Every structure is written in C-alpha cells, then in structure tokens.
Amino acid sequence: MSCEEIKELLSSYIDKELTVAQEKLVEAHLLDCRDCAAALARLQQVVGAFADMPQLKLPEAAADRLAAAIDARLAAGQETTPVWRTPRRRWFAHPAFVSVAASVAAAAIAVFFWKAPAQTNKSNIMLQTPAGQAAPEGRKNRKPQDTWGVSAPDAATRKAINVQLDQAVAGALPGMDYGNANKRTQKTPADEDLGVSDSAVDARDMEEAAKIAANNAPARILNSVSARYGGQPAWIVLVERTDKPGYFIGAIVGQKDGRVLYRSTRPRP
Amino acid sequence: MADRELIDRYLHGDGPAFSELVRRHQHLVYNLCCRIVGVPEEAEDLTQEIFIRLLDKVSSWRGEAKFTTWLYRLALNHCRDHLRRRRPETVEPPDSLADFKPGPEQQAETNDIRDRVEKALAALPPDWRTVVFLRDVEGLSYNEIADILEVELGTIKSRLARARSALADALNPLRGDILEQISPSEHQRG
C-alpha cells in the first residue's frame, strides 16, 4: 500500500477500528516507513491532547435561568396551579373584608402593583436604585417598599409600564400566566395571601437579580410585582438595559430555605 | 434513578422529574454547545433552547437508543441550525475560546499543545469539529457517533481522519520535536 493509503487508515488504526487484515498492513508499513510513523505520532498527539480536556460547566446564573425557564414551561402545562400568582395583602383575605374588598379591589390592587416610575433617570449608571434611592446599608432594612417613595404616574403611563412588564415576563417565560395588566386589576382578593412582610428580599436583592439578568450590562429596574414562586414569597422585576433602550428582561428574586435566589431569562429578540 | 425512569415520570405528570433530567444533563449539553458554536454566551442560550425543545420532544424518544445518544442528536441538530442562521462575520471561534477556559489554576496547567489543539478545533468546519468532539472529547464509539449523526460508519471514519489530520497540520511547528521524540521502532514497541 502507498503512504497515502496508509495515512488514510491511521486515524482508525488509533481507535482500533480497522479490520485485522488492515491492521496488519498498517503495522507492516510502519516498521519500514519513518514518515508514516511520524504522521501516526502526530495524530496520537492530537488525540491525546483531548483526552483530559475538562468538561465546561454551565455557569450558575445560566443554570438558574435554565431552571426558571423549565419551571415556567412546566407550570404553563399545568392549568390548575400557575406558579406565579398575584399577591394580596394579608388583611384583604380576612372574611370581613372580602365583600367590601371585592368592590374596591380593582382600584386598590392597581395601586398596589405600581412599584416604580418609568421616567426615572436614564443615565448610564450600572444599576439605578429604584427612584434614585440608595440601597439599604445593612440587612436591617431588608423589606422592599410597596412603592419606592414616588407618586404614581398617570393611568396611561402606569398601564404602559404594566404592559411592558407583562411583555418582558411573557417574552422571557412563554406561557407563564401570572395575570396580565388588565387581569390583575380584576382578580378577587381571596385567592392568595402574600404577606410582603414575610419576604426577606430587599431592594439590594432586586438589584442583584437585575444585574444577573442583564449579565452585568448597564441596566435599571423599571418595575416590580410581588408574587409567589415555588410556594415562596418572591418579586418579579422588570429590567431594562440602559445601553439598549427597549430591551426588557424579566427577573425573579425569591428565597428558599433562608437563601436568596435569583432567576432570570432573556427575552427572545 | 435512570433517565428512562425520570422521563416516564415526567410523561405521567411529574414535572420535577424533568427538572432533575435537566440538572443531570445541563453540563453535557452546554459543553457540547460551547465546543460546537465556540461562543459561551450563545452556548448558554442554546442550552436553554435545547431543553425547552426537549420538553416537547421527549415523548417521541422510543428508548431504542440510549437517551444521551438521542439528546446529543437533538442538541447537535439545534447547534447546526444555529450555525446556519448565524452570520459569518460574527464568528470568531479562536479568540472566544479564551472565554471558556477552565479556571485560572487549571488554565495555568493547560499545556501549550492543548491550547493549540483547542484553537485548531474551533477553526475546523462544523462537521469535522463535531466528529472530533464526539470521539476525542466525549469518547463515544464510532457506532454511537454514526447513530447520533445518522451517517454511515465509513463517513465517520473518513471525516475523523481528515479532521485529525487537519489538526495535526495546525500543530505543524511541533513536528520537529515529535520526530526527535518518537522513532518508528519506538512506536512499534509502544
């Protein structure tokens, strides 16, 4: 056999994938041909270089996003219990309030869901604290505020922001039913009680979630809603990339077993 | 619990069983995506897309092939579609490799040869890169690779031979060293 023909077999020879006859031919040739033996050595070196190549691990933040996306899809497939529910204040759930609450719920909840202004400073800072406030220094001031120290904008702006939030979350988590802007104002208050005070999630945690969601790109929190995720109190945060206006990301921050968890997914373009 | 059992449970309404399946195989899929598309951020997105797709498609797994073989095929097809859609000017595999090196400590141990081989691998045509990845990185048999790629065994052999040869050529500067290190008679004894 010619050197060219032998060289074509060397790769399979290394893997012991030749027939016995082919293998004998190759070995006989190699005894006499320094050039083909060197070619074999080079191939073996290539193969050997891959042998201990480490497996690349999915980064933790990406693994969290993956888990959230899967959870969302799984939840969307189970019509009985949507994972993300709209929260209610504790006193709303009291029977004495239910009948009254039903009549005022629409207005009350609409305000409750308003968290942060859309027209906050658009400067290119890394991550703007809601309403320009500094994040709490210590863990003492952990509680997120229902409203971040600003007066709610007019109804039209408020609606626009809620629509953005819905779109960001829906885009990131297809099939997720946590209630859209209109539905939210229509729900009765009796279904779920989320005591916001139960949540150990604070504004800093939301910022951290936003940072992770934006992959450390400049971004700001536009809005948030409190929710339940996996049976635990959580916040859904709407993040906008300040370097890419209109690029929204839905993030979720919650806690489990005393640990604060962040999850986010990137909206599809 | 075996993959098969997790899938059975999921198909009978046990959502967390699917999440467990994802956790079990997420690094395998991510590693594959990284090696094939060469850009870690894209690999993250692709990993997510692949598992979302798996949710819908897993019911069509008949169990005649190993689950991982089937998963490799699903993932590779997705990567292939992605590469087809991607505009050529956005592709910079050799440079982007630096982004998904192991940690600094491991990187320090990475020898010169592997560095060169990794870069050369990223520069190969996708079909060649795929077969080298499956054989030399993942250690799959020729038969498994043929199953995954749904091509003839002979095609695997020739593709692998050409790819390895191209990689060896990319390491050409080392040729002199090798010639000094290994003579034909030494090889025969080994």
Side-chain angles (χ1 to χ4, degrees), chain A residues 126-160:
Chain A
M126 188 59 194
L127 239 186
Q128 185 179 318
T129 309
Q133 294 174 344
E137 285 298 313
R139 304 299 289 179
K140 278 180 280 183
N141 298 324
R142 299 182 61 87
K143 305 294 177 286
Q145 296 169 10
D146 287 355
T147 57
W148 284 334
V150 294
S151 56
D154 62 57
T157 310
R158 212 160 59 224
K159 189 177 174 189

Side-chain angles (χ1 to χ4, degrees), chain A residues 75-159:
Chain A
Q78 297 169 347
E79 292 174 7
T80 47
T81 42
V83 175
W84 297 28
R85 298 173 199 160
T86 50
R88 302 293 178 265
R89 287 183 184 281
R90 192 181 300 281
W91 47 266
F92 269 9
H94 194 283
F97 282 93
V98 170
S99 61
V100 179
S103 61
V104 299
I109 294 169
V111 172
F112 179 76
F113 275 108
W114 170 250
K115 302 299 177 195
Q119 65 276 29
T120 44
N121 185 0
K122 289 198 176 180
S123 65
N124 232 14
I125 54 173
M126 188 59 194
L127 239 186
Q128 185 179 318
T129 309
Q133 294 174 344
E137 285 298 313
R139 304 299 289 179
K140 278 180 280 183
N141 298 324
R142 299 182 61 87
K143 305 294 177 286
Q145 296 169 10
D146 287 355
T147 57
W148 284 334
V150 294
S151 56
D154 62 57
T157 310
R158 212 160 59 224
K159 189 177 174 189

Side-chain angles (χ1 to χ4, degrees), chain A residues 27-108:
Chain A
E27 287 179 347
H29 183 95
L30 288 171
L31 276 175
D32 297 327
C33 180
R34 190 183 167 91
D35 191 39
C36 284
L40 176 66
R42 284 199 303 278
L43 288 180
Q44 282 172 324
Q45 189 180 33
V46 168
V47 173
F50 288 114
D52 55 348
M53 191 177 274
Q55 186 186 50
L56 302 164
K57 304 280 186 199
L58 183 67
E60 205 173 321
D64 285 347
R65 282 197 297 275
L66 171 62
I70 295 295
D71 286 353
R73 273 301 180 101
L74 290 170
Q78 297 169 347
E79 292 174 7
T80 47
T81 42
V83 175
W84 297 28
R85 298 173 199 160
T86 50
R88 302 293 178 265
R89 287 183 184 281
R90 192 181 300 281
W91 47 266
F92 269 9
H94 194 283
F97 282 93
V98 170
S99 61
V100 179
S103 61
V104 299

Side-chain angles (χ1 to χ4, degrees), chain A residues 39 42-43 46, chain B residues 120 162-173 175:
Chain A
R42 284 199 303 278
L43 288 180
V46 168
Chain B
R162 282 176 200 160
R164 283 171 169 172
S165 174
L167 289 169
D169 287 346
L171 298 174
N172 205 25
R175 185 177 290 192

Side-chain angles (χ1 to χ4, degrees), chain A residues 7-19 22 26-28 30-35 37-59 61-67 69-71 73-74 78 172-174 215 263-266 268, chain B residues 10 13-16 18-19 22-23 26-31 34-35 41 43-45 47-49 51-52 55-56 100-102 106 111 113-114 117-118 121 132 135-138 141-143 153 157 160-161 164-165 167-169 171-172 174-175 178-184 187-188:
Chain A
K7 279 177 181 167
E8 281 179 20
L9 297 176
L10 290 178
S11 168
S12 297
Y13 175 73
I14 289 172
D15 292 327
K16 303 192 186 330
E17 292 278 351
L18 294 180
T19 63
Q22 283 175 318
V26 169
E27 287 179 347
L30 288 171
L31 276 175
D32 297 327
C33 180
R34 190 183 167 91
D35 191 39
L40 176 66
R42 284 199 303 278
L43 288 180
Q44 282 172 324
Q45 189 180 33
V46 168
V47 173
F50 288 114
D52 55 348
M53 191 177 274
Q55 186 186 50
L56 302 164
K57 304 280 186 199
L58 183 67
D64 285 347
R65 282 197 297 275
L66 171 62
I70 295 295
D71 286 353
R73 273 301 180 101
L74 290 170
Q78 297 169 347
L173 305 169
N215 210 7
R263 285 183 174 174
S264 64
T265 44
R266 293 179 202 163
R268 298 285 145 238
Chain B
Y10 163 64
D14 180 0
F18 189 86
S19 299
V22 172
R23 275 192 295 280
Q26 62 188 10
H27 297 306
L28 177 145
V29 170
Y30 173 72
N31 187 43
C34 262
R35 298 294 182 195
E41 291 78 15
E44 287 178 14
D45 285 351
T47 302
Q48 184 166 316
E49 289 163 15
F51 280 112
I52 295 285
L55 264 173
D56 298 330
F100 56 82
K101 286 276 166 54
Q106 286 166 293
N111 61 36
I113 292 171
R114 194 204 289 157
V117 172
E118 280 198 12
L121 177 65
V132 170
R135 174 64 205 170
D136 293 334
V137 180
E138 297 293 83
S141 73
Y142 281 28
N143 280 326
L153 210 58
K157 286 185 182 181
L160 192 56
R164 283 171 169 172
S165 174
L167 289 169
D169 287 346
L171 298 174
N172 205 25
L174 296 173
R175 185 177 290 192
I178 296 163
L179 284 172
E180 281 171 27
Q181 283 167 18
I182 305 172
S183 71
H187 164 71
Q188 277 306 303

